[in-house]
Amino acid sequence: QVQLVESGGGLVQPGGSLRLSCAASGFNINARAMSWHRQTPGKQRELLAAIDAGHGKKYSDSVKGRFAITRDSTKTTTTTVYLQMDNLKLEDTGVYYCGSYDSATWLTRINSWGQGTAVTVSS
């Protein structure tokens, strides 16, 4: 079983930056792909960025060039996944969730979710 705990959300002005963290632990956590998603009222949860076990990355078009996903896998039983968010826009407001996949790539399903951290972009 995998446990995910997000942190780092808050209120930021347009054009500002935030860094989200996801503390992940559980079976084979360093061998799992990880991802960040965003959910806003009335919309489906949107995949923003994913990182595989080999640190390969992908981004949605909505955040490419503004967000960066990284992971710290130096510990054997835990990993921390970060989402650096720059040049934030009003439409980036939402609840951000961390997810872990069944395997080393994002070609499998997500098997665990964190509780979410809220980001509000407002002037």
Side-chain angles (χ1 to χ4, degrees):
Q1 189 166 353
V2 172
Q3 295 81 41
L4 306 173
V5 180
E6 301 99 332
S7 61
L11 173 65
V12 62
Q13 292 186 338
S17 298
L18 277 178
R19 189 175 81 155
L20 306 183
S21 299
C22 172
S25 61
F27 179 72
N28 251 3
I29 192 62
N30 284 320
R32 298 180 184 271
M34 304 290 293
S35 58
W36 282 99
H37 306 249
R38 177 174 64 215
Q39 189 156 26
T40 54
K43 293 187 177 181
Q44 285 191 334
R45 195 168 293 186
E46 174 191 10
L47 172 65
L48 303 177
I51 185 166
D52 64 24
H55 295 232
K57 304 168 188 179
K58 70 169 183 177
Y59 298 93
S60 69
D61 288 342
S62 63
V63 305
K64 196 175 296 182
R66 299 189 299 121
F67 291 11
I69 187 170
T70 56
R71 68 188 296 168
D72 178 1
S73 300
T74 54
K75 298 182 180 179
T76 55
T77 58
T78 62
T79 194
T80 304
V81 184
Y82 301 98
L83 186 68
Q84 177 66 41
M85 306 187 294
D86 297 322
N87 190 21
L88 282 160
K89 304 177 181 181
L90 296 175
E91 54 264 39
D92 293 319
T93 294
V95 180
Y96 285 66
Y97 295 90
C98 177
S100 71
Y101 288 80
D102 271 343
S103 76
T105 76
W106 50 68
L107 299 177
T108 56
R109 68 181 188 95
I110 290 177
N111 63 7
S112 294
W113 293 98
Q115 82 289 351
T117 185
V119 172
T120 301
V121 184
S122 175
S123 55

